[in-house]
Amino acid sequence: IEVKNELLGLMGECCTFLKANGLLKDEISDDMPLPRKTIRNSCDETPPLMQEMETVIEDKMKRLSSSMAYSANILCTTQEAVVVPPYVAFAIRPNPGFWEFVKVNSNDLSVDGITATDYLKFKEMVVDETWAKDENALEIDLDQWTLIYQHELSSSIGNGVNFTSKFITSKLYAQSGSQQLLVDYLLSLNHQGENLMINDTLNTVSKLRAALIVAHASLSSLSNDTPYQSFELRFKEWGFEKGWGDNAERARETVRFLLEVLQAPDPTNLEALFSRIPSIFNVVLFSIHGYFGQSNVLGLPDTGGQVVYVLDQVVAMEEELLQRIKQQGLNFKPQILVVTRLLPDAKGTKCNQVLEPVLNTKHSHILRVPFRTEEGVLRKWVSRFDIYPYLENFDASAKIIEIMEGKPDLIIGNYTDGNLVASLMANKLGTTLGTIAHALEKTKYEDSDMKWKQLDPKYHFSCQFTADMIAMNSADFIITSTFQEIAGSKDRPGQYESHEAFTLPGLYRVVSGINVFDPKFNIASPGADQTVYFPFTETQKRFITFQPAIEELLFSKVENDEHIGYLEDKTKPIIFSMARLDTVKNITGLTEWFGENKRLRSLVNLVVVAGFFDPSKSKDREEMAEIKKMHLLIEKYQLKGQVRWIAAQTDKNRNSELYRSIADSKGAFVQPALYEAFGLTVIEAMNCGLPTFATNQGGPAEIIVDGVSGFQIDPNYGDQSSNKIADFFQKCKEDPGYWNRISEGGLKRIYECYTWKIYANKVLNMGNIYSFWKQLNKEQKEAKQRYIELFYNLHYKNLVRTVPTASDEAQPAPVTR
Ligand code: UDP
Ligand code: LCN
């Protein structure tokens, strides 16, 4: 209470400060035009709100007691303030996921706590007073079903499977009848008409327990490696079906896990049991927009890491499924289908092929389904921002069921469009749904919610945010790459967190859009294909055939369509970066830091792979601007001789050898993005043993332990970052072992946390646990789904009607990314 009072006092001080600086005028009366505004803490520049607060606090601190200093720190956690004279409303975020709202009356400095809804109304006052005051304005509350079943600590966010296992355990223990639900669930296991685990003979808890005790005793008398076939008949007589294990040892363990769960449930045995239950054989992944293909697609609009991620995900999941199915003693073949858009105008890619086997898999395919308009099949590419009119009719379920000869067991969506279609299909078929959104667009554009009317003609954010909320709330589980994706960092809210409470004035006010404490959130970080991205030291595996081409790419003095600039001193180490030439990737930022830092220039050369060189050939406004900026920077800092700019590269084998060649030069990889959701290039470089400097804004901050497995750099402080890189190379000169220590630290980190094997194991465990949870939680799930359906039908569909459909005859739509 004392701290809170002090905090409130400080809020008053802050208002006084705002007044003194003309940001809040106390002489303004209610009937005068209001100088309303929102002041935000933004990460792209020195945060203005923080600056204002800090000035007040710094002054106060000199006289503050330690508890006051503590409360001053709390004040620093204010994310945003809204000035609606005579009030200032503050949104405070003391910890990830935790928000408090207060309003301060600048006349009498009285302070009151307010609800999220009232805070949103303050924000609306800035742009649409009528709406803010409308008592019947539509409010969306999607979180009423989560309340009892949720984490309570920020540190638990993202550990969904773990928490859900505990919750299921307590239900199995305390709620009469729930053990029977487990028996019913086991009875429902079936693949291609064949019952698995148990049959109707064991249809009650007591019958099942009695049979399990007999089975356990019998299996204990067999040697571990006795094949399942040797005791299959006896098992069948007792009411057991296949799926317990491929030999006596595995079957005995599985029997014991189930017995323990039925006798005295505990989360460890429950998780172990579910990791073995044969419930997933057929998986559908949706990744709809862009060019989804296996070659020549990177660098095309909207096509980046998501494609790499999905393809690697398929390979890893198929491997894990094959292993699990074998260990379960079954011989079904798993099937994974990536469903995407068929693009008749394929531009030299295979995106016009209906069915294409996924490379490095035995049974997985890409299935392409065309977009349809009233005129028939749409031939041309459509930006992901304009894709909404084609999604509802993108019904691939009949085709999927035909190919899989049955319904899928798990559906996973990717990005807004894929997630929406996945949620519609999962709802229709009753299948378990996982969603993934590497980038939720809402956080990328400042005030994208408040300014939706202004931005809608170009980005259709009203459709996107509505679709995102529908999908993330329909999902049984959500897969994220990092904690920050869910709940951000100490200073910056997470992507999902920004959907907790927001408002689209004039459309609807979201009082609870998603709850980051919901145990549906799980962190499963991707890896990089380790058959391609392996350490530079594994010389016998190296793709030496690429070396002459790479030598040319890096060092020849010619300028052509593939490279410009050259490296005068070939003996220097190289700092290397590779990304799409988007503003957010900040390749121009890195070039500028290099240009500015004489010390760095004396130590290393710079090589970047990004975009291409002729702005007139780009369809993308952002890319055009970045291309021009690159040319200007090379000119301004006279970088020729020290910088090589290489156009976008599409061959991942050659790229991996490029990373390794940079490692041969004892160089480093630099990922300077203003914000990066995850950053596949970071782990590709680390897998190749290349010391890596990566942005601390976003996912890479979790990947790299600063100074141990690489280095974190702050893209907002270029000087500091370029000096950090220069210090590293200076130190490498003085201590020749230093480069190797960082390289090895990076590899250790990758092997411990960032491999596709770890990922696939986690995701399949999610599929298993949440499939059962869905049954146990059926009533709540159905109630929520009815609310979501209402939102979809009454609101989302109308919004989609505002998005123009493309026509093949018309001029190409402008590319919006
Ligand atoms: N990439 C590529 N050629 C390029 C630029 C990028 O092959 O010219 C690949 C890169 O190796 C990585 C992916 O594209 O696999 C980019 O993924 P990341 O997560 O770094 O960024 P995104 O493009 O998804 O934002
Ligand atoms: C999209 C992004 O923006 C990247 O940060 C990720 O690494 C990529 O997808 C794959 O997850």
Side-chain angles (χ1 to χ4, degrees), residues 33-287:
L34 301 180
R36 293 169 186 159
K37 62 191 282 182
T38 6
I39 311 171
R40 307 183 60 245
N41 269 334
S42 111
C43 287
D44 305 346
E45 51 192 74
T46 315
L49 177 60
M50 202 63 98
Q51 239 174 22
E52 281 160 18
M53 298 285 193
E54 271 168 8
T55 320
V56 176
I57 292 157
E58 215 172 281
D59 181 43
K60 281 259 103 186
M61 284 284 224
K62 294 177 192 139
R63 285 166 282 133
L64 292 177
S65 66
S66 62
S67 71
M68 285 286 272
Y70 173 68
S71 50
N73 280 335
I74 297 180
L75 192 53
C76 287
T77 61
T78 297
Q79 286 291 329
E80 190 182 67
V82 193
V83 183
V84 180
Y87 293 104
V88 182
F90 294 90
I92 306 159
R93 182 175 172 271
N95 266 311
F98 289 98
W99 291 81
E100 285 182 28
F101 304 94
V102 292
K103 68 171 184 194
V104 183
N105 185 327
S106 65
N107 290 330
D108 57 10
L109 296 186
S110 61
V111 183
D112 293 298
I114 53 171
T115 60
T117 314
D118 287 338
Y119 179 75
L120 293 176
K121 286 183 186 169
F122 266 106
K123 287 185 75 170
E124 290 161 3
M125 289 288 282
V126 178
V127 291
D128 188 343
E129 189 170 347
T130 321
W131 167 262
K133 289 185 172 162
D134 181 354
E135 286 179 6
N136 298 315
L138 177 63
E139 289 191 351
I140 305 295
D141 179 1
L142 281 152
D143 192 35
Q144 12 176 342
W145 295 273
T146 321
L147 299 176
I148 44 156
Y149 163 59
Q150 66 167 40
H151 302 293
E152 284 179 349
L153 297 173
S154 303
S155 55
S156 314
I157 292 173
N159 267 328
V161 159
N162 205 263
F163 186 88
T164 305
S165 306
K166 288 185 191 150
F167 203 73
I168 293 177
T169 306
S170 66
K171 273 207 152 197
L172 289 178
Y173 193 75
Q175 192 175 308
S176 71
S178 52
Q179 291 206 349
Q180 183 58 42
L181 288 177
L182 176 56
V183 177
D184 294 344
Y185 181 70
L186 295 176
L187 278 170
S188 73
L189 297 173
N190 177 298
H191 187 60
Q192 292 174 346
E194 203 175 312
N195 284 340
L196 300 171
M197 301 291 276
I198 56 174
N199 60 39
D200 264 345
T201 326
L202 304 178
N203 61 1
T204 66
V205 178
S206 54
K207 284 188 211 165
L208 177 59
R209 272 172 75 167
L212 286 170
I213 292 168
V214 175
H216 194 263
S218 157
L219 289 168
S220 301
S221 67
L222 300 176
S223 66
N224 284 346
D225 54 2
T226 312
Y228 183 81
Q229 290 72 17
S230 312
F231 50 91
E232 183 175 0
L233 279 179
R234 212 175 334 148
F235 252 48
K236 187 118 184 150
E237 279 165 25
W238 293 331
F240 294 108
E241 298 289 340
K242 282 183 194 162
W244 292 89
D246 54 346
N247 59 29
E249 184 187 23
R250 273 197 90 78
R252 190 172 58 241
E253 284 168 0
T254 316
V255 165
R256 188 173 57 77
F257 292 141
L258 179 56
L259 255 179
E260 300 266 6
V261 167
L262 291 173
Q263 277 165 355
D266 74 285
T268 315
N269 278 314
L270 188 94
E271 269 186 58
L273 172 70
F274 273 91
S275 69
R276 294 190 169 201
I277 284 184
S279 63
I280 302 175
F281 302 95
N282 291 341
V283 183
V284 174
L285 307 173
F286 282 99
S287 179

Side-chain angles (χ1 to χ4, degrees), residues 17-37:
F17 172 82
L18 292 176
K19 267 192 212 174
N21 286 277
L23 284 159
L24 178 65
K25 295 197 174 63
D26 55 1
E27 72 275 11
I28 285 171
S29 65
D30 276 355
D31 47 341
M32 288 176 78
L34 301 180
R36 293 169 186 159
K37 62 191 282 182

Side-chain angles (χ1 to χ4, degrees), residues 298 304-305 308 578-580 585 609 648-649 655 676 679-681 684:
L298 289 172
V308 178
M578 176 164 73
R580 290 179 286 113
K585 295 288 183 187
V609 170
Q649 297 294 306
N655 287 351
E676 186 64 61
L680 288 177
T681 51
E684 289 166 359

